[in-house]
Amino acid sequence: MICLCGLLGMCVVGYFVGSMVMERNLVIAGIPPLTGGIVSTTIMQKAAMKAGLMKASVFAIATYCIQGFAGYPLTAACLHFEGKRLLHQLRSKEVVLTPEQIEANSHVGITATADDSETRKTLLPPLPKSVNTPVMILTKLGLVGWFSLLLGKVTPVNGAIWALVLGVFFTYIGFLDQNALTRAGSLWITMFALLMFVFDGLKICTPDMLVSLLAPMVILVVVSVVGMAIFSYVISHFMKVSFPLAFANSLTALYGFPADAILTEMTCSSLADNEVEKGYLMANIFPSMIVGGFTSVTITSVLIAGYFATLF
């Protein structure tokens, strides 16, 4: 709900205020990339080219490339404030953790390993450890990913959304391992590959292109993020969530996964003095950041781009 409200603020304020100070076509082309990732950017690029608006087409890509420069520092600042608030609760004994909570918190995060101390009953029995090697773990992940892509081609739903749903389903029934990439020792090489894919978009941004579009991009980003902040502030009171965390959740629209996971884990690690404090921070921040990225970038941004593409 927080992310949806934040995206609404970005779209409403960005569109109406932005249209007063810059070309309307640039506003239409730039807002969907701000709300999501490469899919929404591609939709707007193709729509602008089809309408014969080459400048707007380039603007959509350029906006996608630079949105992280606003998202990363703002998110880091919000997570820092939220982490300080949570640590004050813990260190002042306002919050007292039980041994069970400390144990559960230690298994939260992309670098954590799932708790196997109590075998969870699943539909499929677990493979013997001698068989469930890193190669087997990655093979199972690859099969689910391949099946997700096939469903994405034959249904209106994007393959990334299918991967999210099927990932949860096949983990629940026992086919996939919990924290599979960590178990296979492949987490960080996978994160590196994902980041390379994200920053690959920078190759099309020439210096001349950035100079000509710099002022409109800065205006649109500032206006849209202010709109997101206002709406996030309002919804945070209704949802009884601190404003820094609510704003950080909404800001995931500017970068998505895996940056949301990496930023959260690095911030929690830097603030905490020990593993108990880190686990407490991760348990209170990490889940909402991950959900925020999938809500904004993976799902909602595609719907927003589909609507904005009809406005040219």
Side-chain angles (χ1 to χ4, degrees):
M1 290 300 297
I2 290 171
C3 290
L4 291 176
C5 192
L7 290 177
L8 179 62
M10 172 175 276
C11 293
V12 171
V13 178
Y15 179 79
F16 288 104
V17 178
S19 298
M20 298 178 184
V21 295
M22 55 189 290
E23 294 180 36
R24 178 176 175 272
N25 287 332
L26 295 184
V27 175
I28 295 172
I31 288 180
L34 283 178
T35 67
I38 190 63
V39 177
S40 57
T41 303
T42 303
I43 292 173
M44 297 312 300
Q45 178 197 15
K46 291 181 178 179
M49 291 183 66
K50 185 177 180 180
L53 302 169
M54 298 306 296
K55 185 178 180 180
S57 173
V58 173
F59 188 77
I61 303 172
T63 303
Y64 165 73
C65 292
I66 62 97
Q67 62 180 339
F69 290 104
Y72 296 142
L74 285 174
T75 301
C78 289
L79 294 180
H80 183 83
F81 284 121
E82 178 67 7
K84 285 288 189 181
R85 184 186 71 84
L86 292 171
L87 284 178
H88 176 73
Q89 292 180 344
L90 190 64
R91 292 169 179 173
S92 65
K93 305 300 182 181
E94 181 182 342
V95 173
V96 178
L97 301 177
T98 65
E100 292 77 14
Q101 289 174 319
I102 294 175
E103 171 64 18
N105 292 346
S106 68
H107 301 291
V108 178
I110 57 174
T111 59
T113 303
D115 183 13
D116 290 332
S117 58
E118 295 183 6
T119 303
R120 181 174 59 88
K121 291 184 179 181
T122 57
L123 181 63
L124 302 177
L127 292 175
K129 291 185 178 181
S130 59
V131 177
N132 201 35
T133 62
V135 173
M136 178 60 72
I137 293 173
L138 293 175
T139 299
K140 291 187 291 184
L141 277 174
L143 288 173
V144 175
W146 172 69
F147 186 44
S148 302
L149 292 177
L150 290 181
L151 288 176
K153 293 179 179 180
V154 300
T155 67
V157 181
N158 186 274
I161 300 176
W162 278 116
L164 173 63
V165 174
L166 294 182
V168 173
F169 172 74
F170 281 109
T171 302
Y172 181 78
I173 67 173
F175 180 73
L176 293 179
D177 301 80
Q178 296 186 51
N179 297 79
L181 288 176
T182 300
R183 291 181 183 277
S186 305
L187 173 66
W188 291 113
I189 188 64
T190 305
M191 294 296 106
F192 179 66
L194 285 172
L195 288 173
M196 283 196 299
F197 173 77
V198 172
F199 288 115
D200 180 66
L202 291 172
K203 69 185 180 185
I204 60 176
C205 289
T206 64
D208 290 339
M209 181 192 305
L210 285 178
V211 169
S212 64
L213 297 174
L214 184 59
M217 279 192 295
V218 171
I219 293 172
L220 184 62
V221 170
V222 171
V223 169
S224 299
V225 171
V226 168
M228 172 180 282
I230 294 172
F231 277 56
S232 297
Y233 178 78
V234 174
I235 193 65
S236 67
H237 287 276
F238 286 99
M239 302 297 293
K240 301 186 183 304
V241 175
S242 71
F243 170 64
L245 182 59
F247 192 27
N249 291 162
S250 296
L251 284 169
T252 56
L254 298 178
Y255 43 83
F257 186 86
D260 52 358
I262 296 173
L263 275 172
T264 303
E265 188 135 0
M266 290 180 65
T267 302
C268 293
S269 297
S270 66
L271 290 174
D273 291 337
N274 51 58
E275 290 300 315
V276 173
E277 291 184 349
K278 179 185 175 182
Y280 178 67
L281 294 179
M282 289 292 291
N284 284 276
I285 298 176
F286 187 81
S288 64
M289 290 295 290
I290 297 300
V291 171
F294 280 114
T295 301
S296 57
V297 176
T298 309
I299 301 172
T300 313
S301 69
V302 179
L303 302 177
I304 292 174
Y307 171 73
F308 270 76
T310 65
L311 299 181
F312 286 120

